[in-house]
Amino acid sequence: IRSYEPEEEKLLEDLGVRIYKIDEVNARGLEVVCQEALSIVKQARYFGISIDVDGFDPLVAPGTGSLEPNGLDGPPFLDAFKKLVQHP
């Protein structure tokens, strides 16, 4: 997450949702964060993955509705995602 409304932040905190802010993703690496997230959701019976175009940097996704810089880059995201879905 790069930004969100205070109400969204409070709701997610109240629900105990693990949030990865972009600074943490950049510091730890996208692949590491994806693997950690997968280990969290694997504890659930079912889970889904949703990819929001607004999470990408507008330089690589100019059609995004959120023109906020410092988003995900396309090729590194795709590499990490491929490894994620191939993970046993």
Side-chain angles (χ1 to χ4, degrees), residues 4-75:
Y4 47 9
E5 302 296 320
E7 298 82 9
E8 291 176 299
E9 183 174 19
K10 180 170 180 358
L11 174 62
L12 294 171
E13 285 178 5
D14 289 350
L15 292 172
V17 174
R18 173 62 166 101
I19 301 297
Y20 295 94
K21 294 186 178 180
I22 194 68
D23 292 339
E24 179 183 359
V25 173
N26 290 335
R28 295 181 60 207
L30 183 59
E31 190 172 331
V32 170
V33 169
C34 284
Q35 291 298 329
E36 183 177 298
L38 181 62
S39 71
I40 292 169
V41 299
K42 276 190 166 182
Q43 297 173 28
R45 184 170 179 185
Y46 301 104
F47 68 90
I49 297 173
S50 174
I51 303 167
D52 190 338
V53 174
D54 288 350
F56 291 90
D57 194 286
L59 293 176
V60 297
T64 180
S66 175
L67 299 175
E68 186 172 333
N70 194 27
L72 298 171
D73 189 8

